[in-house]
Amino acid sequence: MSSRLQAYGIQSSYSMYNHSSLVANRKFLAEERRTYPHVGDKEVVGLDESVSKLMDTLSRDGQHAVVVVHGMGGIGKTTLGREVFKHSNIKDHFDDCAWTYVSQQPQQRRL
């Protein structure tokens, strides 16, 4: 691909930046993608059934559960998690709650 770009006189966007600006740009983009439980949509529509199922699974007495929410980007996984996380029934059920952000290239030390 690089040779074809050169053949047509197209400059790669990566070659327009030096290494330090690329690293800074990646860090900026990672920060932009970070999610927070207190920042969210005012009105969420269409997740009621999923929120209810997830809350039921997490709040069963005497059972511990690991729940995996997966799917392609943009379908509402983070929104679903945020809605469950901030729900009063969940806060009442657990002694402590924590929110963490896991990037596409997670670093165990930072988690």
Side-chain angles (χ1 to χ4, degrees):
M1 183 126 174
S2 295
S3 63
R4 287 185 181 172
L5 288 174
Q6 290 174 354
Y8 292 107
I10 300 172
Q11 186 177 12
S12 168
S13 61
Y14 288 112
S15 65
M16 296 189 312
Y17 301 100
N18 61 30
H19 177 71
S20 61
S21 66
L22 279 175
V23 171
N25 191 35
R26 284 188 188 137
K27 287 181 181 178
F28 171 76
L29 291 175
E31 283 296 316
E32 286 294 303
R33 292 194 50 148
R34 188 172 294 238
T35 60
Y36 301 93
H38 63 282
V39 178
D41 302 317
K42 288 182 173 46
E43 190 70 33
V44 177
V45 178
L47 289 180
D48 294 337
E49 184 178 340
S50 297
V51 167
S52 179
K53 284 181 183 179
L54 189 51
M55 286 179 26
D56 288 345
T57 301
L58 290 173
S59 59
R60 288 186 188 136
D61 287 332
Q63 294 183 355
H64 298 287
V66 174
V67 178
V68 177
V69 180
H70 64 91
M72 57 189 254
I75 62 170
K77 300 178 299 291
T78 301
T79 303
L80 173 62
R82 186 182 295 119
E83 290 300 304
V84 171
F85 180 83
K86 68 182 188 180
H87 200 283
S88 61
N89 291 352
I90 291 297
K91 290 186 182 223
D92 291 343
H93 183 77
F94 294 98
D95 294 333
D96 296 300
C97 295
W99 182 272
T100 188
Y101 166 81
V102 181
S103 70
Q104 290 184 359
Q105 292 88 25
Q107 298 172 357
Q108 275 186 325
R109 194 170 219 171
R110 295 185 75 190
L111 292 176

